[in-house]
Amino acid sequence: MIDGRTTGAVPTLPVAHWDVVLPDEVATGRLAMDLAAMLRPGDLVALDGDLGAGKTTLARALIRELAGDPELEVPSPTFTLMQTYDLPRHRVVHADLYRLSDASELDELGWQEQTDGAVTLVEWPERAEGAVLKTDRLEVHISMPQDKPETARRVRLLGYGRLAGALYRMRAIRSLIDSTGFGPARRRHLQGDASTRSYERLVGAKRNAILMNAPRRPDGPPVRAGRSYSAVAHLAEDVKPFVAMARGLRARGFSAPAIYGGDLDAGLLVIEDLGEEGVLAGTPPAPVPERYEASIDVLAALHALDLPATLAVASGIDHQIPPYDLEALTIEAELLLDWYLPHCGVALPSDARQSFRQLWAAALVPSLAQKPVWTLRDFHSPNLMWLPQREGIAKVGLLDFQDAVMGPPAYDVVSLAQDARVDVPEALELHLLGRYVKARREADADFDMRGFAASYAVMGAQRATKILGIFARLNHRDRKPGYLRHMPRIWNYLQRSLAFTDLEALAGWYKDHVPPPRTRARTEAAVAMPASVAAAPLAPPRPAEAAPPAPPPAPPEEAPAPTEVAAVTETPSTPATVAEAPAAETPPAAIPSEAASTQTPNDPATT
């Protein structure tokens, strides 16, 4: 589908093409949906065809899709020549150059200023004699086929520059959506997070699904022994780990999304929609204790299992879950040095960096000696959904676990109890810790409470250190300053974790070299472990940072055992294609079509 051609002075390589026949306006609207999902600021769509071919009809449908408003008034720009729209996701310029007598008139319209950074739709672009063409453009040639009904249109799409690859991907997405039975569904963009993945909700007549668009992550520059940061930190580079972990979790009774279908090579999945209800409520959002309790029960149940390090993805394809080793944990902590300290205007001497690494290596050794579990790595409120119609641990829906590693149990407990995005009251944190420890002791009388308590402090300090670096990076590199508002909370978590005597040397290093965020919230005292944890011989906090007495531990509660789920049916059409039967609401024999489906019950900035 990729070929080379030249059409003039504007760079044209590579070129992708796609020929489609649209039987009616419904099909035109579906094409507009696909185009709207593909376009980015700065892209140009050149619409070509005879009078009455349907250029304005397609442009109008496309603008309404970009606006997310099917009733938006979209007048023809025939007489004004140019119409602009400031939409939530993009600024859009719609131009009709039929009445343009000379390309020089574009200057009078302020063409360059109006179209800079906008999605631009141009009817009759040939009237500008090529002056409006860009490197990144999509040419749409519309004609009326003589051998089809009068409502039909033949469309040839030609993608140039960035839009060559984007058009190829758009076709793969449409093929996947159709093959999983969601062809008639409406596509609704979902607000993304800090990752490079994007998501859409496929709104069907009887059930919804989620389209995950996750192109393979290219390796970054080498940072450690010739390896990139993502390789050292064991970050997923494609969707295979997500598929493997989803199936592994579901097979053990946890509510990870079912995989309805996918293209592993393209990084595309259609998965179960777990809905929009999370574990927070109110304004501003705050933890719902019942839902956080259910979430800690999920971790206690998961960590009590003997978990394999190898999981199946599809027939003939396995995923090896990487270890959360010293290199990965250390390079994550070094994000503080590389991003947070420069954010604070601190220049770190080289010997201080070396001592930072040595102190962390010593602090991490005991946690790394513990029996590893599946560490999902982003087990916090943005990735936890509430499914009240389900039972036990299945009430908590799990998302964003593609970076899972074999690591210390305390890491995910910290992720939840010291949530990076929302204030968790200290009393709730202590209650969650007591609940987790009680459930682990009931499942295993030899559970090491002291080792867990020490690891909780170390993992809390490591995670807070990493997140301060990530939030600074999101601000400076990715132009996402909104994450800075969370820094005071993360700073408080860091101080609480460093207050334990086991981390005294490391705490001294931070005191000497790491300033608080510019907007500093109150630094809370060290976390007092619940009585059930404190009973272990853990060294007390330093006297200067003594914590108030801990509240009494929560009443005994059992962590429910994992429930059974419907069997997963592997039905790949090729080794690179995946499909899974829907959850128990639908028979698992095959992927249901949109018409035959029943409603299925309803992403990371810290990896």
Side-chain angles (χ1 to χ4, degrees), residues 274-287:
L274 297 181
E276 301 182 54
E277 189 174 3
V279 296
L280 307 177
T283 305

Side-chain angles (χ1 to χ4, degrees), residues 230-556:
S230 63
V232 177
H234 304 309
L235 302 181
E237 297 182 345
D238 54 39
V239 297
K240 295 184 183 73
F242 182 92
V243 174
M245 291 303 304
R247 288 180 164 164
L249 288 164
R250 284 173 58 80
R252 289 160 178 82
F254 300 95
S255 288
I259 310 295
Y260 295 150
D263 184 333
L264 295 179
D265 293 333
L268 298 170
L269 297 174
V270 174
I271 64 176
E272 179 184 8
D273 184 359
L274 297 181
E276 301 182 54
E277 189 174 3
V279 296
L280 307 177
T283 305
V288 178
E290 174 198 4
R291 301 177 186 182
Y292 270 63
E293 288 174 349
S295 300
I296 205 71
D297 290 346
V298 166
L299 291 179
L302 179 63
H303 296 168
L305 302 175
D306 288 323
L307 298 166
T310 302
L311 291 171
V313 178
S315 179
I317 302 176
D318 287 337
H319 169 60
Q320 187 72 29
I321 305 174
Y324 211 1
D325 52 26
L326 182 61
E327 264 196 310
L329 288 160
T330 304
I331 201 169
E332 288 181 339
E334 289 179 31
L335 293 173
L336 180 100
L337 314 183
D338 298 332
W339 292 96
Y340 178 75
L341 291 186
H343 168 78
C344 296
V346 174
L348 192 69
S350 58
D351 60 337
R353 176 181 282 265
Q354 182 61 27
S355 63
F356 177 87
R357 290 175 177 166
Q358 292 171 346
L359 288 167
W360 267 114
L364 289 165
V365 166
S367 294
L368 292 173
Q370 296 176 359
K371 179 183 177 181
V373 299
W374 291 353
T375 301
L376 305 186
R377 230 169 175 181
D378 266 339
F379 194 89
H380 60 161
S381 56
N383 300 323
L384 301 174
M385 311 308 297
W386 185 242
L387 308 172
Q389 72 278 20
R390 301 188 185 182
E391 298 295 329
I393 56 172
K395 283 188 174 183
V396 180
L398 307 177
L399 301 174
D400 200 13
F401 40 72
Q402 61 281 335
D403 295 318
V405 286
M406 301 296 296
Y411 187 91
D412 280 348
V413 177
V414 169
S415 300
L416 178 69
Q418 295 186 1
D419 197 315
R421 307 293 188 87
V422 66
D423 292 323
V424 178
E426 188 172 337
L428 177 58
E429 178 184 1
L430 299 174
H431 171 63
L432 295 174
L433 290 173
R435 188 180 179 96
Y436 175 86
V437 168
K438 181 179 181 299
R440 291 298 310 275
R441 290 191 70 190
E442 288 176 352
D444 179 6
D446 295 328
F447 176 69
D448 181 3
M449 291 186 297
R450 186 196 184 284
F452 170 78
S455 184
Y456 184 86
V458 173
M459 291 296 101
Q462 191 274 352
R463 182 170 169 81
T465 296
K466 171 177 72 170
I467 295 174
L468 286 174
I470 287 175
F471 285 173
R473 183 178 68 186
L474 285 166
N475 174 57
H476 292 283
R477 187 191 71 181
D478 303 333
R479 302 295 186 263
K480 295 180 178 180
Y483 290 93
L484 297 181
R485 73 182 186 275
H486 299 300
M487 278 189 173
R489 178 186 305 113
I490 307 305
W491 178 261
N492 287 342
Y493 291 153
L494 177 61
Q495 300 310 302
R496 286 156 57 174
S497 297
L498 290 174
F500 286 93
T501 305
D502 291 20
L503 297 178
E504 186 172 3
L506 195 58
W509 189 98
Y510 278 74
K511 183 179 179 181
D512 292 341
H513 299 289
V514 185
R518 293 190 182 98
T519 304
R520 183 177 178 181
R522 179 179 64 87
T523 300
E524 299 178 19
V527 174
M529 305 300 281
S532 59
V533 179
L538 176 67
R542 296 186 297 277
E545 297 179 344

Side-chain angles (χ1 to χ4, degrees), residues 61-323:
L62 181 49
I63 292 169
R64 287 172 174 166
E65 285 294 334
L66 290 168
D69 181 359
E71 304 301 325
L72 180 69
E73 184 69 24
V74 183
S76 171
T78 300
F79 294 102
T80 60
L81 297 187
M82 192 160 57
Q83 190 80 25
T84 61
Y85 302 84
D86 289 317
L87 304 180
R89 291 174 55 206
H90 306 300
R91 187 166 59 85
V92 176
V93 174
H94 180 198
D96 185 331
L97 304 184
Y98 183 75
R99 296 174 59 243
L100 196 74
S101 58
D102 188 88
S104 62
E105 295 178 12
L106 292 172
D107 293 335
E108 299 174 19
L109 295 173
W111 181 263
Q112 290 297 333
E113 295 80 5
Q114 291 291 336
T115 60
D116 184 37
V119 171
T120 305
L121 315 179
V122 185
E123 300 181 42
W124 301 98
E126 65 272 17
R127 303 285 292 179
E129 301 172 349
V132 300
L133 298 185
K134 296 182 178 181
T135 302
D136 297 325
R137 72 183 188 278
L138 179 72
E139 294 182 2
V140 183
H141 303 278
I142 307 175
S143 61
M144 295 176 281
Q146 299 301 313
D147 58 340
K148 303 289 183 183
E150 62 179 17
T151 58
R153 296 293 184 270
R154 178 172 283 111
V155 177
R156 164 160 280 206
L157 304 166
L158 294 171
Y160 297 81
R162 186 197 75 80
L163 286 168
L167 179 60
Y168 186 91
R169 191 164 190 82
M170 184 184 94
R171 184 172 183 177
I173 290 171
R174 171 47 57 188
S175 176
L176 176 62
I177 292 174
D178 290 345
S179 69
T180 52
F182 287 93
R186 302 292 301 173
R187 295 175 64 177
R188 292 289 176 260
H189 173 76
L190 296 178
Q191 184 63 41
D193 205 336
S195 75
T196 57
R197 298 178 298 276
S198 64
Y199 299 89
E200 295 178 44
R201 175 165 279 118
L202 306 179
V203 182
K206 296 184 178 180
R207 63 167 183 164
N208 299 341
I210 298 296
L211 170 69
M212 178 192 293
N213 186 346
R216 181 177 177 82
R217 186 206 306 257
D219 258 355
V223 296
R224 186 71 50 82
R227 293 186 296 160
S228 67
Y229 175 87
S230 63
V232 177
H234 304 309
L235 302 181
E237 297 182 345
D238 54 39
V239 297
K240 295 184 183 73
F242 182 92
V243 174
M245 291 303 304
R247 288 180 164 164
L249 288 164
R250 284 173 58 80
R252 289 160 178 82
F254 300 95
S255 288
I259 310 295
Y260 295 150
D263 184 333
L264 295 179
D265 293 333
L268 298 170
L269 297 174
V270 174
I271 64 176
E272 179 184 8
D273 184 359
L274 297 181
E276 301 182 54
E277 189 174 3
V279 296
L280 307 177
T283 305
V288 178
E290 174 198 4
R291 301 177 186 182
Y292 270 63
E293 288 174 349
S295 300
I296 205 71
D297 290 346
V298 166
L299 291 179
L302 179 63
H303 296 168
L305 302 175
D306 288 323
L307 298 166
T310 302
L311 291 171
V313 178
S315 179
I317 302 176
D318 287 337
H319 169 60
Q320 187 72 29
I321 305 174

